[in-house]
Amino acid sequence: MEPPVRLASTGTIIHGVSVGEVLGVSTLAEARLIAGESGLGRIVQRLNVMEVPDILAWVKPHELLLTTGYPLRNTPQSLGRLVADLDERGLSALAIKLGRYVDELPDEMVEQADRLGFPLILLPNDVGFDDILNQVLTDILNRQAAVLARAEEAHRALVQVVLAGGGLNEVAAEVSQLLDVSVAAVDGSGRVLATAGPAEHVAVLRESISREGPPRTPASGRARSFASVPVLAGGHHHGRIVAYSPSGAIRDSDVGILERAATVAALVVTRQEAVNAVESKYRADFLRDVLTGRAGTAERVTARARAFGWDLARPVTVLVAELDPDGDERSAQDRLVACWTAAMRRHDPRGAVAGFSHEVVAVVDASIDATRVAKDAASAFADVPPATFSTGSSRPSPGAETLPEAYSQALKAARVGRQLHGPGAVAHFDQLGVYRLLSLVNDTDELHAFVRETLGPLAADTDAENADLRRTLQVLLETNLNVAETARRLHFHYNTLRYRIGKLERLLGNFTDDPHLRLNLTLALHVLRMRGI
């Protein structure tokens, strides 16, 4: 049975044999375990001979320390502390010859070895240390060579899978066959991308992943039922490779092969990301041409869209998700595209979705609740604060030829909705009221000229009093010139408000008696509120 793999702190030997296996070599056939039976699984990677009393300065982790007791013959009191000191430094076991220099081991030493699981071995007097060193080191080196050869063979097989064009499914199948375990490839969000192995074992693996996330790999030196290694590429965490053995037979050497599989999986992931990036660019370019009316006839658009898995021949609604200002666009844009792609996959697999420079456009079946799609994407996007996005939806579009108009409606709804309701707004074009009409005026210079002509000096923000007077005018118009209600809302004294009304009429005209002027003033205030659209 192949032992676990342990990383050594120094030296080049990285594999070893267990203490229990060391006791099985022929030169130690007469050796006897005195204490520390629970530590027989400790790994031996090297051997050392105790020749001086201050041996602690010379020992290394995972060593089997051999001694005749000669260095301790004059200091028997140090034996009681020796086991704890060796265990603290990571040694594997102590093998000693009794009778010549040390007659017996103190009870305290034996009890401490049992308590710490630190094996104490009584060596036969007729066996030389050189025989033990040669045989055990030969076993360790042979084991290391075998483990490395197995790992190299596994690596070649996995690389061949990738060279042959295989994906995560093929990598998982190869690992499952190599290690006789069930395997799952999991992305960074915990979604299972590929599995291999008996169905009942894969079910257990899936349940464990969904319940607790990929299980942690226990400390080395022990076999286990689960093992998990990260998939890293380009400094990014892309998920994990998780293995399950119902018999609990996954060893550290198997984890080493899983790590090689994770490296190969990283190649698959980066290759797929490169392919996805090219495909995303083609999808985005095509959808942009469709939405700007440059993609050709409706028949040509429908045919090309079908190649991307999109159905643009049916009645659809256009959604525009635009990143709100003040967010980090560079880090948020990719996440925005991913969230909308996932939401569309759940709600309308035949819908189109693509990312542009600072927005995402989705074309969804008109029978689907667009607000639910937007909220689904927003929920997934919420884990990357402080970035937010506003969403606008169009009227239903009967076919590809009307998609440019629908896109314009959705874009205006997103921008007007943000102005009216703040970041993170979700607005439908038909729910914009008068703002919908104002947004249809393409000549914004004419709108701003109307504001200046109607509001006069109140159109500018050069004076703080102007904004205050505009607020008074707005509330007056909202309350239909109800002076008492306006005073209550603005927390003004009645006489103070009457004075302000007089000042407003001197600036704007007699709006309290002129309904047409009041309408113009209301529209001008609405245009000001839409500033920047």
Side-chain angles (χ1 to χ4, degrees):
M1 176 179 176
E2 184 176 325
V5 181
R6 292 288 296 269
L7 291 177
S9 59
T10 58
T12 57
I13 296 178
I14 59 174
H15 302 287
V17 295
S18 67
V19 175
E21 289 179 305
V22 169
L23 290 173
V25 301
S26 59
T27 54
L28 296 178
E30 302 299 323
R32 181 166 59 89
L33 182 69
I34 300 174
E37 183 177 1
S38 61
L40 290 178
R42 291 185 180 221
I43 301 303
V44 178
Q45 293 177 339
R46 55 177 64 84
L47 288 85
N48 197 355
V49 178
M50 184 176 183
E51 296 179 332
V52 292
D54 58 341
I55 189 64
L56 296 178
W58 309 100
V59 296
K60 298 182 178 70
H62 312 306
E63 279 186 345
L64 169 61
L65 185 61
L66 307 175
T67 183
T68 60
Y70 178 78
L72 305 170
R73 67 191 186 286
N74 297 323
T75 56
Q77 66 276 9
S78 64
L79 287 172
R81 179 62 190 167
L82 182 60
V83 166
D85 289 337
L86 295 178
D87 178 70
E88 184 179 344
R89 284 159 176 77
L91 268 72
S92 302
L94 174 65
I96 187 169
K97 287 185 178 183
L98 295 178
R100 186 169 183 182
Y101 302 108
V102 176
D103 293 330
E104 61 181 5
L105 300 179
D107 292 341
E108 177 188 357
M109 184 178 184
V110 175
E111 291 172 1
Q112 193 172 56
D114 276 329
R115 185 171 65 255
L116 297 174
F118 184 85
L120 288 179
I121 302 169
L122 178 61
L123 295 173
N125 288 320
D126 58 348
V127 176
F129 283 176
D130 58 338
D131 293 331
I132 298 174
L133 291 168
N134 287 334
Q135 191 167 14
V136 175
L137 282 176
T138 297
D139 282 358
I140 291 174
L141 293 174
N142 288 341
R143 184 60 51 81
Q144 172 162 293
V147 170
L148 292 176
R150 178 174 179 249
E152 187 61 29
E153 180 184 354
H155 185 72
R156 283 198 299 268
L158 291 167
V159 170
Q160 188 58 41
V161 168
V162 178
L163 294 177
L168 289 178
N169 283 315
E170 289 73 20
V171 170
E174 187 69 27
V175 174
S176 176
Q177 183 177 356
L178 286 168
L179 303 182
D180 193 23
V181 295
S182 296
V183 178
V186 184
D187 67 10
S189 62
R191 185 166 59 97
V192 176
L193 303 176
T195 60
E200 62 273 18
H201 299 165
V202 170
V204 174
L205 189 55
R206 283 181 177 274
E207 182 182 356
S208 174
I209 292 170
S210 63
R211 184 177 65 250
E212 305 171 355
R216 292 183 178 273
T217 301
S220 59
R222 294 181 295 163
R224 73 298 302 261
S225 295
F226 289 96
S228 175
V229 297
V231 176
L232 302 174
H236 299 288
H237 188 284
H238 293 278
R240 304 185 77 83
I241 299 291
V242 190
Y244 167 64
S245 170
S247 61
I250 300 178
R251 298 152 296 180
D252 283 0
S253 57
D254 297 332
V255 175
I257 292 178
L258 284 177
E259 290 171 346
R260 293 186 178 236
T263 301
V264 173
L267 294 176
V268 174
V269 170
T270 52
R271 181 187 66 187
Q272 189 58 48
E273 284 183 344
V275 173
N276 290 342
V278 174
E279 291 182 349
S280 295
K281 182 181 184 305
Y282 280 122
R283 285 195 296 266
D285 289 346
F286 171 62
L287 188 56
R288 185 183 288 108
D289 288 343
V290 171
L291 298 177
T292 54
R294 299 196 303 265
T297 64
E299 293 77 12
R300 184 172 183 269
V301 168
T302 301
R304 287 195 62 189
R306 194 177 297 116
F308 290 116
W310 300 342
D311 183 0
L312 301 184
R314 56 186 175 165
V316 293
T317 300
V318 176
L319 298 171
V320 171
E322 191 175 50
L323 285 171
D324 294 320
D326 303 326
D328 186 351
E329 282 195 18
R330 289 174 297 179
S331 61
Q333 178 65 16
D334 290 343
R335 181 64 176 162
L336 182 65
V337 174
C339 291
W340 272 91
T341 301
M344 288 291 290
R345 189 185 299 118
R346 287 188 290 271
H347 292 275
D348 185 10
R350 295 187 302 156
V353 60
F356 297 163
S357 58
H358 63 286
E359 67 188 36
V360 173
V361 180
V363 183
V364 63
D365 191 329
S367 64
I368 294 175
D369 186 350
T371 302
R372 286 186 58 192
V373 180
K375 289 182 176 179
D376 191 358
S379 177
F381 192 72
D383 62 353
V384 286
T388 58
F389 64 87
S390 297
T391 307
S393 59
S394 71
R395 293 168 173 167
S397 171
E401 62 277 0
T402 58
L403 283 176
E405 180 183 355
Y407 170 63
S408 177
Q409 294 170 358
L411 188 60
K412 288 174 180 175
R415 295 179 178 177
V416 174
R418 181 191 297 115
Q419 291 288 337
L420 299 181
H421 308 297
V426 179
H428 192 285
F429 184 73
D430 282 342
Q431 297 172 346
L432 300 180
V434 68
Y435 296 100
R436 184 181 78 208
L437 298 177
L438 292 174
S439 69
L440 294 175
V441 179
N442 293 323
D443 190 348
T444 56
D445 289 339
E446 186 65 30
L447 284 177
H448 294 156
F450 171 74
V451 171
R452 290 192 299 271
E453 294 167 3
T454 306
L455 294 179
L458 297 188
D461 288 327
T462 54
D463 190 341
E465 185 184 14
N466 289 344
D468 196 23
L469 287 173
R470 283 204 307 269
R471 172 63 177 159
T472 301
L473 176 62
Q474 180 177 332
V475 177
L476 272 171
L477 295 173
E478 288 175 354
T479 61
N480 197 24
L481 302 183
N482 187 323
V483 178
E485 176 63 16
T486 301
R488 186 188 67 79
R489 287 194 191 181
L490 297 176
H491 307 289
F492 288 161
H493 188 276
Y494 183 85
N495 290 335
T496 301
L497 183 59
R498 295 300 307 178
Y499 168 78
R500 282 178 170 251
I501 292 174
K503 187 171 184 177
L504 285 169
E505 290 199 317
R506 286 193 297 274
L507 291 171
L508 306 174
N510 189 18
F511 63 88
T512 56
D513 294 326
D514 187 344
H516 295 291
L517 178 56
R518 289 200 297 274
L519 175 61
N520 288 341
L521 292 172
T522 301
L523 289 175
L525 290 173
H526 284 325
V527 172
L528 269 184
R529 195 175 180 189
M530 292 174 58
R531 182 176 295 166
I533 299 176

